[in-house]
Amino acid sequence: MAAPPLPPPDPQFVLRGAQSAVHTLHFCEGAQGQGRPLLLSGSLRGLVHIWSLQTRRVVATLDGHGGQCVTWLQTLPQGPQLLSQGRDLKLCVWDLAEGRNAVVDSVLLESVGFCRGSVLAGGLQRWLLAVPGRGSDEVQILEMPSKTSVCSLKPEAQARLGMPMCLQLWQADSSPRPLLLAGYEDGSVALWDVSSRKVCSRVSCHTEPVMGLDFDSQEARGVSGSAEKALAVWSLDEQQALQVRGTHVLTNPGIADVKIRPDRKILATAGWDHRVRVFHWRTMKPLAVLAFHSATVHCVAFADDGLLATGSGDQRISVWSLYPCT
Amino acid sequence: MDPEVSAVRLTVWEAVHILSSSEDGGRIFCTLGSLKRYLGATENPALPEEQEEFVRIHFSTFLRCLVSKLSPDWLELLPDGQMEELWASFFLEGPADQAFLVLMESIEGAASPSFCLMKMAQLLARFLSVGRMAAVMEGQCRQQAGPAFPLLQETLLTKVVGLPDRLGNRLQRENLATFLPQNYFPLLGEEVLRVLQVVVDSLRGGLDCSVSFLSQVLGKACVHGRQKEVLGVLVPRLTVLTQGSCLWQRVCWCLVERVPDWAMEAVLKGFVEAAPGPEVLSRLLGNVVTKSKKAQFVMTRKLLFLQYSCTMPMLQSLLGYLAMDSQRRSLLMQALKELLETWGSSSAIRHVPLVQQRYVSKAILICLAHLGEAELRDSRDELLASLMEGVKSRLDSSLPPVRRLGMIVAEVASARIHPEGPPLKFQYEEDELTREMLALAMPRPAADGPSEAGPSFAPVSGETPDRETVDRSGPQTGPEGSDSELDSDDEFVPYDMSVDREQRSSKAPSYVRGCLEALTGSEDWERWEAALWALEGLIFRSPAATQEVSVELAKVLLHLEEKTAVVGFEGLRQRALVALTVTDPARVAEYLTTQFYALNYSLRQRMDILDVLTLAAQELSRPGRLGKAPQRGSPDPGSQPGGAVVPAWRAVVEERVRRKTRRFSKGSAGRAPAVGPNEFNSVAGYFFFPLLQHFDRPLVTFDLLGDDQLVLGRLAHTLGALMYLAVNTTVAVPMGKALLEFVWALRFHGDAYVRQGLLSAVSAVLLSVPAERLLADLLDELLEARSWLGDVAEKDPDKDCRLLAVKALLLLEKLRDKLLPLSSP
């Protein structure tokens, strides 16, 4: 019974060549016919690299942020369109169809923070975009591609939440009303009803700024990581009230990013302590500690087939295949 | 003399005559029947005066005559045991005290073993079982406690309480179950209760009664050590009866107050033990402590200071009892003052067993919990003075348990006595004892229902179904809740997560010299910390480089202060120093031992030196050290991925070899212990002798024979340890000799910790020096030590000292056994 634990796994492969710290990663479906998805990475020097997981080489490099760090990448389900957010206060929309790589549109941002945007695209032509707004504590909701400002979500003045640090737009299956989960600088997570511009509920789950969160809408349960030494798991009940379910103490402080795998079995965290931690999502049982990187891990991303990519300040992207999807 | 009186006398004479001469059953029967009239049980009883005269004058005589006639033949004069029945009825229906005395007298007078004796014993058993003992005692209660029959009362008392002993002596193996003390005394308790009931009833009826005989019975039974049996019956019943009845309470108080002084202690202790709580105790005892000097002495001094056998519930009942009435509270305050004085007396700390010290400490805490703030404020100065003195002398003690008691009591007491003042706060480990003591200090809830109600089972049985339903519903929801959790399909097996450690700065120096620099000159605290972490590994990895700077490094480490809040700073520093000493023993040990007696060091540093020397010596003398040494450097995480593979491979091969090899003996399958020369051999002198040189020369800052006895104790322990580790070395003999001299010089030291060190040093000498050399070179010292050890083993107040002395004596014995077979042929 007392079998020794398996030695920690090694990465399946490592992508080198970003030539600067990797700050964001995103998997997207490749063009038809290509079996494996593409991996997009955004770097500190402002470049977006598109990696083929087949050849493990850079397919294309996009330079649209004037040398400023790329903090967020996201593709849209309709058509090969890419959103990239940079610290040059610009959000670019790229057209990647048929080998093109041109900026077709861009949105000027008004926040200098590190907050990543979020997208809600219901498969329609129009989609919602949430980005940090003009006021330091505001979140702005835009309707794309028309770039009309739908509203701006500003917490009550006495709430003192600080800046928004991470956003996630989502929609419950039962209702068409878009909802926004936002992690704030004071360590709390708030649920906004976008249409009524009200905070439905708010829960203080950290004592430090929330650095990343992810939400499992089927189980109405989410997880957030912050600059402190703990992960918080919280849930949403029928009255749309957030409740902290538990906290999981880590060895070292600082979580840069949290992602739940699309099949909702496991979740991965990017740690400031150079390590990626993998947990069982439902039980929060620690499963693995990946000590491969030699600098802060900035981002983690899961592909639909379960592949895990992690990007770090050591300029490397490691790709892992853990607990394969069934 | 009037004719009626002589008529009774004549009748009795005649009856006695008939009984002694006649063999005719019918005649005897008639005679006895006619006498029965005088007992008033028949249909035509005699005149009351006649009855009275018969009972007063003739009854005992007549009973004795009946006893003397008792024989098998005589009983069979009438069929169907009629004769026996009639015979017995005189004992059972006549005045109980006389009947009882005659019975006891004849049982003691009867030849053992005989028919008579057995008959009488059975009759006595019957006497007891029909409740005549209550009648005996009741008679005494009704007699107005006049001075009329003190002698008779005394005799009765002795016989009533001594019944089990006397019967046991007479009957030996034939003894009846009723007369066994474990059965008799509960019965006596029941009877006492019945008499009390009668007393209460007659008091209600306006008749005067006295309970002093009952008090005497109770006292005597308790003095005989039968508190549990008697009070085990009495107290629960009295608890119920006194609830809500003033009369019962008064009778009960009277019962306790009338207990003679010689029995007061036994009775009170029994009550304290049997009562379920202070409320009950207060109800049963009343203000006996203010009325009786003896009771006051027992309750406020004897049970608190002179004995320490009470359990905690008893102590709580006792002190709670004192606290429950305004008249008694002054006694509680007085007790607290005296307790604090005893607690703080430095002589008591040294000479009183630890168990009693604990007892006194707990009593203090309980007192404090009972006393109100105002009361404490009134005598704050006095209390604080004795508390502070006590804390000081306790913290000076070198025994950790004594110190800890000081800390706990000081914290609690200072918070209670002087709540506005700055709170005292000590660091001590929490354990069973501390938790218990802190719980005692919590004020008890004013009235707790269950103990008040006594043995009431109704609420318990009422609750049980509830609890069952709760229990049943608990597990039911449990599986349902966990069912959804238990999905077997994603039983993901976790990987090894041992690499997940606290992240440390990667700026650790790579060389010993680098560490030295980082530790001395660096203002970069991360580097300083990293150097401290890395040092032990570096020292082991590069002994040659270490030896170049060993003394310098030792100096730095010895003076190193904890500048940042490094986790485990002390341990890191100590491990580094030990590693250093092991790597370059001669020079570093020499340096450390000279520094031990140098001027400007704190006690902490001096004790660190001793610890380091001991640990290093232990490491050096460990057999097979060399083989293990390379593994000791902290393995670099992740740098050697193959490292984990090698043992696995070896294990596989060894397993294969083991399976294919047939072994004929199963014995000694384990690995042979590693062997090698004792490395400590060559350097033991550097460790040992310098420490012995200056202990009697006080410095300005360091006086081993004066205030710094804690370090002296540590020194004695260290020397003992070094001696023990020098086993099988050539230097052991001179070391032993020097150590015994050291022990001899300090053998009457007043501190228990020092004496413990000395005793273990003696044991170490006995273990390490070869037996022949001991006899040849150290004979005188050993003989001297032996008599000293004998003394300590018998008389030392400290338990550990006695134990250590006995161990040393055993070692001496063993030594003699070893030598005798050699010398005798």
Side-chain angles (χ1 to χ4, degrees):
Chain A
M1 190 58 222
L6 301 166
D10 290 327
Q12 200 174 35
F13 52 87
V14 179
L15 304 176
R16 291 163 224 266
Q19 290 179 336
S20 66
V22 179
H23 274 256
T24 179
L25 287 169
H26 180 70
F27 281 100
C28 77
E29 290 303 316
Q32 285 79 11
Q34 289 177 341
R36 304 198 70 167
L38 297 172
L39 178 63
L40 310 173
S41 74
S43 73
L44 181 67
R45 293 237 210 104
L47 297 182
V48 176
H49 298 278
I50 303 177
W51 305 84
S52 158
L53 295 183
Q54 199 100 47
T55 61
R56 301 173 190 177
R57 293 288 185 275
V58 177
V59 180
T61 304
L62 315 178
D63 181 6
H65 289 283
Q68 301 277 335
C69 177
V70 178
T71 58
W72 179 54
L73 291 171
Q74 175 74 45
T75 50
L76 296 175
Q78 65 278 25
Q81 276 192 321
L82 169 72
L83 303 181
S84 71
Q85 180 187 1
R87 301 219 53 216
D88 58 346
L89 304 187
K90 236 167 56 179
L91 191 136
C92 303
V93 184
W94 304 77
D95 182 10
L96 300 181
E98 296 157 352
R100 284 192 292 267
N101 46 18
V103 179
V104 291
D105 200 355
S106 71
V107 180
L108 280 181
L109 302 177
E110 284 160 308
S111 163
V112 289
F114 290 86
C115 182
R116 295 166 177 171
S118 178
V119 155
L120 179 65
L124 307 168
Q125 278 308 305
R126 292 184 311 177
W127 38 279
L128 282 181
L129 171 70
V131 286
R134 181 199 301 257
S136 70
D137 54 355
E138 277 180 25
V139 178
Q140 197 176 19
I141 309 288
L142 300 168
E143 193 185 71
M144 300 293 280
S146 61
K147 294 199 275 183
T148 356
S149 175
V150 176
C151 60
S152 117
L153 306 176
K154 188 172 164 62
E156 291 167 18
Q158 68 267 30
R160 293 186 180 279
L161 298 180
M163 288 193 286
M165 303 299 288
C166 45
L167 306 170
Q168 182 152 13
L169 275 173
W170 62 283
Q171 207 167 14
D173 294 337
S174 50
S175 119
R177 295 164 80 89
L179 298 167
L180 173 77
L181 277 165
Y184 283 94
E185 201 180 353
D186 73 337
S188 59
V189 171
L191 177 73
W192 289 88
D193 184 341
V194 173
S195 336
S196 63
R197 301 176 208 177
K198 289 258 171 51
V199 178
C200 299
S201 104
R202 181 168 79 85
V203 64
S204 289
C205 33
H206 298 283
T207 56
E208 299 279 335
V210 182
M211 301 304 292
L213 62 82
D214 202 358
F215 186 70
D216 172 357
S217 57
Q218 289 194 25
E219 290 196 22
R221 220 152 61 93
V223 58
S224 59
S226 82
E228 65 179 357
K229 256 172 134 169
L231 281 180
V233 178
W234 28 267
S235 66
L236 197 60
D237 60 16
E238 284 80 24
Q239 282 77 43
Q240 301 209 313
L242 289 167
Q243 281 170 335
V244 175
R245 286 283 159 207
T247 54
H248 184 90
V249 178
L250 305 170
T251 321
N252 291 307
I255 292 298
D257 197 6
V258 183
K259 285 276 160 45
I260 303 171
R261 198 163 76 178
D263 67 352
R264 301 183 293 113
K265 297 278 190 193
I266 60 175
L267 78 110
T269 67
W272 293 357
D273 60 347
H274 312 178
R275 289 171 199 146
V276 173
R277 292 188 168 73
V278 179
F279 297 86
H280 190 275
W281 169 222
R282 197 156 49 217
T283 61
M284 285 307 282
K285 180 171 81 164
L287 291 177
V289 175
L290 311 176
F292 168 78
H293 291 289
S294 58
T296 304
V297 184
H298 289 299
C299 51
V300 289
F302 280 109
D304 284 339
D305 63 357
L307 218 53
L308 167 69
T310 66
S312 149
D314 63 1
Q315 309 186 356
R316 294 182 288 184
I317 300 166
S318 54
V319 180
W320 310 73
S321 177
L322 301 173
Y323 305 105
C325 294
T326 46
Chain B
M1 188 172 277
D2 44 28
E4 280 92 353
V5 174
S6 46
V8 174
R9 176 165 297 175
L10 279 177
T11 325
V12 173
W13 276 346
E14 193 189 333
V16 169
H17 180 72
I18 292 171
L19 278 177
S20 48
S21 56
S22 173
E23 295 290 319
D24 179 358
R27 195 154 168 230
I28 293 176
F29 190 75
C30 283
T31 315
L32 289 179
S34 70
L35 278 180
K36 205 102 188 268
R37 286 176 56 232
Y38 292 113
L39 293 178
T42 49
E43 51 271 16
N44 55 342
L47 298 169
E49 300 85 47
E50 284 180 351
Q51 286 189 26
E52 215 251 359
E53 190 195 341
F54 175 74
V55 162
R56 208 180 61 226
I57 303 175
H58 307 292
F59 187 55
S60 298
T61 330
F62 175 67
L63 284 183
R64 286 199 189 96
C65 174
L66 277 181
V67 168
S68 66
K69 284 312 291 173
L70 185 65
S71 69
D73 300 340
W74 192 78
L75 288 181
E76 280 162 19
L77 288 177
L78 285 178
D80 307 333
Q82 281 178 37
M83 187 62 99
E84 188 177 358
E85 200 51 42
L86 189 64
W87 172 77
S89 72
F90 278 93
F91 289 91
L92 297 175
E93 288 162 25
D97 48 353
Q98 293 185 42
F100 178 66
L101 283 180
V102 170
L103 267 177
M104 290 301 286
E105 185 188 298
S106 49
I107 284 175
E108 278 172 61
S112 74
S114 66
F115 172 77
C116 266
L117 182 63
M118 281 323 287
K119 272 288 167 223
M120 302 301 285
Q122 278 158 9
L123 181 59
L124 183 59
R126 216 172 135 200
F127 184 86
L128 291 180
S129 68
V130 296
R132 294 303 285 169
M133 188 52 95
V136 172
M137 292 189 283
E138 195 188 318
Q140 297 306 309
C141 289
R142 290 208 187 281
Q143 275 176 356
Q144 290 311 310
F149 310 107
L151 206 66
L152 175 72
Q153 268 203 354
E154 186 67 42
T155 319
L156 257 182
L157 180 66
T158 321
K159 301 243 157 119
V160 167
V161 177
L163 185 140
D165 296 342
R166 284 153 200 268
L167 269 291
N169 273 339
R170 289 304 295 157
L171 296 176
Q172 306 277 350
R173 286 163 184 282
E174 325 278 88
N175 205 355
L176 304 179
T178 327
F179 304 136
L180 295 178
Q182 60 267 38
N183 299 329
Y184 176 71
F185 282 104
L187 181 110
L188 192 61
E190 297 274 357
E191 300 291 82
V192 167
L193 209 64
R194 279 174 51 189
V195 179
L196 281 176
Q197 181 70 55
V198 170
V199 167
V200 168
D201 288 346
S202 58
L203 284 178
R204 278 212 185 98
L207 280 174
D208 240 3
C209 270
S210 154
V211 290
S212 68
F213 183 73
L214 292 181
S215 302
Q216 286 181 34
V217 169
L218 194 61
K220 191 133 192 157
C222 288
V223 167
H224 280 217
R226 297 296 168 184
Q227 290 112 319
K228 273 213 179 73
E229 284 92 349
V230 179
L231 294 177
V233 174
L234 264 181
V235 169
R237 298 285 304 280
L238 283 176
T239 307
V240 179
L241 287 170
T242 52
Q243 197 169 18
S245 162
C246 285
L247 194 56
W248 264 105
Q249 282 190 24
R250 278 215 347 256
V251 167
C252 193
W253 296 350
C254 222
L255 180 71
V256 180
E257 279 161 27
R258 295 281 168 80
V259 170
D261 278 356
W262 48 264
M264 196 52 111
E265 183 191 343
V267 173
L268 285 181
K269 207 172 168 196
F271 266 102
V272 172
E273 199 171 356
E279 298 83 9
V280 173
L281 198 61
S282 174
R283 221 160 56 209
L284 296 185
L285 297 187
N287 272 334
V288 66
V289 279
T290 53
K291 289 180 189 156
S292 154
K293 275 262 177 300
K294 177 74 182 184
Q296 185 175 349
F297 173 74
V298 168
M299 293 292 261
T300 60
R301 298 206 58 86
K302 192 138 194 187
L303 293 183
L304 291 180
F305 296 100
L306 306 180
Q307 300 184 345
Y308 48 101
S309 54
C310 292
T311 58
M312 274 312 107
M314 283 170 72
L315 197 56
Q316 282 196 326
S317 291
L318 169 61
L319 293 170
Y321 159 74
L322 288 180
M324 285 199 74
D325 188 279
S326 54
Q327 290 186 354
R328 289 175 243 145
R329 274 188 97 86
S330 62
L331 290 176
L332 183 66
M333 196 66 206
Q334 188 59 35
L336 174 62
K337 282 179 192 162
E338 283 169 14
L339 279 169
L340 265 180
E341 216 162 278
T342 314
W343 180 79
S345 135
S346 59
S347 145
I349 290 173
R350 227 172 298 138
H351 296 113
V352 164
L354 195 63
V355 192
Q356 190 172 2
Q357 295 192 26
R358 234 175 252 156
Y359 182 81
V360 169
S361 307
K362 287 177 181 171
I364 290 178
L365 295 184
I366 298 174
C367 278
L368 283 171
H370 281 297
L371 281 169
E373 221 147 89
E375 288 160 296
L376 289 171
R377 200 175 306 128
D378 288 343
S379 38
R380 170 188 292 174
D381 292 338
E382 199 181 334
L383 291 176
L384 269 187
S386 45
L387 174 72
M388 286 309 156
E389 195 185 336
V391 171
K392 185 184 163 296
S393 33
R394 281 190 176 260
L395 292 185
D396 276 348
S397 166
S398 46
L399 298 176
V402 176
R403 282 204 299 273
R404 195 135 58 104
L405 279 181
M407 295 178 196
I408 301 170
V409 174
E411 267 185 22
V412 176
S414 68
R416 293 281 289 128
I417 297 173
H418 197 73
E420 309 92 60
L424 280 179
K425 191 82 199 133
F426 295 99
Q427 291 184 326
Y428 50 83
E429 285 165 25
E430 202 159 281
D431 65 357
E432 199 65 30
L433 178 71
T434 45
R435 274 194 292 275
E436 189 195 336
M437 294 194 62
L438 291 179
L440 286 180
M442 293 290 124
R444 283 158 58 93
D448 31 359
S451 70
E452 186 87 10
S456 67
F457 298 102
V460 178
S461 56
E463 263 170 19
T464 345
D466 287 11
R467 206 179 303 145
E468 271 173 2
T469 50
V470 168
D471 284 351
R472 221 179 299 129
S473 64
Q476 272 174 356
T477 54
E480 278 168 13
S482 58
D483 245 355
S484 56
E485 296 279 303
L486 276 175
D487 253 344
S488 58
D489 68 345
D490 46 7
E491 222 359 81
F492 293 156
V493 184
Y495 289 101
D496 178 22
M497 273 171 286
S498 58
V499 292
D500 192 17
R501 272 174 298 196
E502 293 266 344
Q503 196 180 19
R504 288 205 299 272
S505 155
S506 53
K507 289 193 275 186
S510 319
Y511 301 98
V512 175
R513 269 179 195 281
C515 283
L516 190 59
E517 273 165 30
L519 288 177
T520 50
S522 172
E523 286 294 315
D524 179 353
W525 297 123
E526 280 189 17
R527 186 171 156 81
W528 184 85
E529 203 180 317
L532 196 59
W533 278 96
L535 193 53
E536 190 196 2
L538 286 177
I539 290 173
F540 277 121
R541 223 171 295 156
S542 48
T546 306
Q547 278 163 9
E548 288 172 19
V549 291
S550 57
V551 175
E552 207 177 331
L553 191 55
K555 195 186 287 177
V556 169
L557 284 174
L558 194 57
H559 290 90
L560 203 61
E561 281 169 15
E562 188 173 5
K563 290 175 180 168
T564 59
V566 183
V567 183
F569 169 80
E570 288 301 329
L572 285 172
R573 183 171 79 127
Q574 189 181 58
R575 281 210 299 277
L577 264 174
V578 170
L580 195 62
T581 317
V582 169
T583 314
D584 193 7
R587 264 181 292 177
V588 176
E590 197 179 0
Y591 171 76
L592 288 178
T593 49
T594 52
Q595 295 310 301
F596 181 72
Y597 286 111
L599 205 52
N600 290 319
Y601 282 97
S602 67
L603 297 186
R604 174 77 254 166
Q605 279 168 317
R606 292 185 209 270
M607 293 204 276
D608 281 346
I609 290 178
L610 293 177
D611 289 348
V612 166
L613 288 175
T614 313
L615 289 170
Q618 192 179 9
E619 176 65 23
L620 281 170
S621 64
R622 191 160 59 86
R625 193 181 79 79
L626 289 179
K628 287 249 175 87
Q631 283 185 11
R632 285 183 52 95
S634 60
D636 207 348
S639 70
Q640 252 193 327
V645 181
V646 177
W649 162 83
R650 174 159 297 158
V652 169
V653 172
E654 273 173 8
E655 170 65 15
R656 199 170 291 168
V657 169
R658 201 181 59 76
R659 249 190 297 136
K660 299 267 164 98
T661 317
R662 181 176 299 170
R663 292 188 195 280
F664 292 102
S665 77
K666 283 278 179 191
S668 75
R671 287 194 304 132
V675 288
N678 189 344
E679 269 188 273
F680 191 46
N681 184 12
S682 53
V683 291
Y686 290 108
F687 283 71
F688 186 81
F689 292 110
L691 286 183
L692 276 178
Q693 272 169 1
H694 300 289
F695 75 94
D696 47 358
R697 274 170 243 173
L699 300 171
V700 186
T701 52
F702 185 46
D703 182 9
L704 269 183
L705 297 185
D707 283 344
D708 299 324
Q709 55 192 15
L710 177 64
V711 186
L712 184 63
R714 282 293 259 278
L715 176 65
H717 279 100
T718 305
L719 290 171
L722 290 176
M723 183 71 234
Y724 176 69
L725 293 168
V727 69
N728 301 333
T729 60
T730 48
V731 78
V733 181
M735 272 170 81
K737 205 175 169 73
L739 190 53
L740 283 182
E741 273 167 21
F742 174 78
V743 170
W744 193 243
L746 291 172
R747 66 193 185 286
F748 293 127
H749 199 279
D751 190 78
Y753 184 64
V754 175
R755 288 200 304 276
Q756 287 171 15
L758 298 178
L759 289 165
S760 53
V762 172
S763 296
V765 172
L766 294 175
L767 284 169
S768 288
V769 181
E772 298 77 20
R773 301 301 307 276
L774 268 180
L775 220 57
D777 298 359
L778 300 174
L779 192 59
D780 293 344
E781 285 91 339
L782 275 188
L783 286 176
E784 282 170 339
R786 195 193 153 113
S787 61
W788 172 61
L789 287 175
D791 261 10
V792 173
E794 274 178 30
K795 295 177 193 156
D796 201 286
D798 188 74
K799 195 179 80 188
D800 291 334
C801 278
R802 291 196 298 270
L803 201 68
L804 284 167
V806 170
K807 280 183 182 164
L809 280 174
L810 282 178
L811 283 174
L812 265 175
E813 287 289 308
K814 221 170 119 189
L815 196 70
R816 206 184 56 185
D817 293 350
K818 214 181 340 177
L819 287 178
L820 272 183
L822 291 180
S823 51
S824 52

